[in-house]
């Protein structure tokens, strides 16, 4: 997948930005605070429905603006061009695909694939579990269409069970048992999808991990489904019902799932330095992009925010070498062109005070 055009208005300090990226490596240069990261953020929004930066979607709105919008034309490997958009007017968000309102945000996400390595990417390794669940589920949204239906059914049942739990007081079995049955069926399905995805993902990650952290030995991922899977989810939900009632929410299930990364010579995440966490996250993201390409026949767009600050020269050159050999569109930001790209064919855009200009 590649962006053929990208238009941004009202997003942070970007106003009236219109650009035509090249199909290869695009570098966005400019001073700090100019809006370089926000360009990547716009592309990421169309692919994830959220920013990679910390904070709610409300903070994306330009100060004093009443609306924001991101529109793009993307071309897939079938040569078909899709028109995608995400906008906010007041407090209402709306996604559009080919000019029509999308049935859900997920409908937009499925049409646009962007993977981003940025200063907060180490949270995939060291951060909260919801970051790792999103990592797995985003990948599954793009390669397992049956997963989407399971995920939506699970979310609906979870909302209904939590609503009953929050009401307080005794709950009739006839009210809650149908929702628990739906949670169990869809939850175990989600867990099976995630395990299968990890099995397919692992060889791709290992292919990159052996280059960035060879000193740590063999890499693996341990999945935790969100309940003790020595028992089935249905009986676990029934056993936890009184405890969940006291807490007012469902405490077991795939919405509480997690995974941990382990190395032969660093079995605990705490054994990793911050730099190793970043390199581990980079290998995981590139591995996910590689699996996506293997299944879909096309690479997602790769965004590398502040590349020169996040990686040393050796690892910058390694990343560039990996991407030059693939048919991938790449967006890179920096205060100047990273040294690893100085001798490579790149398209350069200058960003200053929210304006983006292509440099000849």
């Amino acid at each position: 997948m590649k962006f053929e055009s990208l238009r941004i208005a009202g997003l942070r300090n970007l106003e009236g930005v219109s650009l035509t990226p090249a199909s290869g490596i695009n570098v966005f240069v400019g001073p700090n605070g100019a809006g370089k990261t926000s360009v990547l953020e716009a592309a990421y929004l169309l692919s994830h429905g959220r920013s990679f930066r910390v904070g709610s979607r409300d903070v994306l709105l330009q100060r004093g603006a009443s609306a924001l919008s991101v529109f793009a034309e993307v071309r897939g490997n079938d040569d078909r061009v899709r028109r995608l958009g995400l906008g906010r007017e007041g407090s209402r968000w709306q996604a559009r695909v080919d000019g029509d309102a999308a049935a859900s945000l997920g409908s937009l996400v499925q049409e646009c694939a962007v993977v981003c390595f940025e200063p907060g990417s180490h949270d995939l390794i060291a951060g909260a579990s919801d970051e790792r669940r999103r990592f797995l589920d985003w990948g599954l949204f793009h390669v397992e269409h049956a997963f989407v239906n399971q995920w939506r059914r699970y979310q609906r049942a979870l909302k209904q069970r939590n609503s009953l739990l929050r009401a307080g007081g005794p709950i009739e079995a006839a009210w809650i048992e149908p929702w628990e049955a739906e949670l169990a069926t869809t939850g175990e399905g989600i867990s099976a999808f995630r395990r299968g995805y990890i099995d397919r993902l692992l060889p791709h990650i290992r292919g990159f991990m052996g280059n960035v952290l060879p000193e740590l030995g063999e890499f693996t991922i341990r999945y935790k489904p969100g309940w003790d899977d020595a028992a089935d989810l249905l009986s676990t939900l029934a056993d936890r019902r009184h405890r969940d009632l006291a807490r007012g929410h469902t405490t077991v299930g795939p919405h509480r799932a997690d995974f941990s990364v382990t190395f032969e010579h660093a079995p605990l995440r705490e054994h990793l330095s911050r730099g190793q966490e970043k390199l581990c996250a980079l290998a995981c993201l590139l591995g996910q992009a590689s699996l996506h390409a293997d299944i879909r026949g096309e690479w997602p767009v790769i965004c590398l925010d502040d590349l020169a600050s996040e990686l040393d020269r050796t690892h910058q050159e390694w990343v560039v070498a990996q991407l030059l050999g693939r048919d991938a569109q790449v967006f890179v930001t920096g205060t100047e062109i990273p040294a690893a790209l100085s001798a490579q064919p790149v398209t350069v855009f200058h960003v200053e005070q929210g304006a983006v200009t292509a440099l000849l």
Side-chain angles (χ1 to χ4, degrees), residues 80-292:
R80 182 183 180 190
V81 176
R82 308 301 300 269
R83 292 177 291 117
L84 310 177
L86 181 64
R88 170 180 166 170
E89 186 93 35
S91 61
R92 183 167 173 262
W93 289 83
Q94 185 176 54
R96 304 188 74 83
V97 176
D98 289 333
D100 298 322
S104 67
L105 193 56
S107 302
L108 173 68
V109 169
Q110 286 179 294
E111 299 294 338
C112 185
V114 176
V115 170
C116 185
F117 177 70
E118 43 85 25
S121 289
H122 67 276
D123 282 345
L124 178 61
I125 309 304
S129 60
D130 55 350
E131 192 69 28
R132 290 179 286 280
R133 287 192 296 274
R134 281 195 291 260
F135 173 77
L136 295 178
D137 292 349
W138 181 86
L140 279 163
F141 259 64
H142 284 277
V143 301
E144 291 284 1
H145 293 302
F147 171 79
V148 179
N149 183 53
Q150 292 279 308
W151 187 86
R152 287 174 179 160
R153 285 173 56 194
Y154 182 84
Q155 293 297 323
R156 177 171 176 264
L158 180 64
K159 182 179 179 180
Q160 294 297 328
R161 187 176 189 267
N162 284 344
S163 179
L164 289 170
L165 294 171
R166 283 194 298 271
I171 300 175
E172 294 288 340
W175 298 349
I176 200 168
E177 285 178 351
W179 296 117
E180 289 179 347
E182 176 76 347
L183 279 173
T185 300
T186 57
E188 290 185 344
I190 287 170
S191 187
F193 273 124
R194 286 173 174 169
R195 289 183 190 276
Y197 182 73
I198 288 173
D199 287 344
R200 300 173 77 178
L201 180 63
L202 221 86
H204 290 267
I205 296 178
R206 283 175 174 158
F208 293 107
M209 199 71 76
N211 286 291
V212 295
L213 292 170
E215 70 278 10
L216 297 183
E218 186 176 5
F219 169 84
T220 193
I221 293 175
R222 295 176 181 170
Y223 179 68
K224 306 168 188 176
W227 77 95
D228 182 358
D229 53 0
D232 63 83
L233 182 53
L234 182 60
S235 60
T236 302
L237 287 164
D239 291 343
R240 289 290 190 108
R241 194 179 298 162
H242 291 296
R243 185 184 303 181
D244 288 354
L245 182 61
R247 297 187 179 184
H249 63 273
T250 303
T251 59
V252 292
H255 65 289
R256 303 296 296 272
D258 198 359
F259 69 78
S260 60
V261 301
T262 63
F263 292 86
E264 181 183 0
H265 303 306
L268 298 178
R269 193 270 300 169
E270 289 77 10
H271 293 150
L272 302 179
S273 68
R274 176 57 62 88
Q276 289 172 326
E277 287 173 355
K278 287 183 179 182
L279 291 173
C280 184
L282 174 63
C284 287
L285 291 166
L286 290 176
Q288 184 173 66
S290 176
L291 174 60
H292 181 99

Side-chain angles (χ1 to χ4, degrees), residues 24-46:
I25 298 178
N26 299 267
V27 184
F28 297 87
V29 298
N32 291 326
K36 304 182 300 294
T37 297
S38 297
V39 176
L40 274 56
E41 198 172 22
Y44 192 89
L45 271 172
L46 293 175

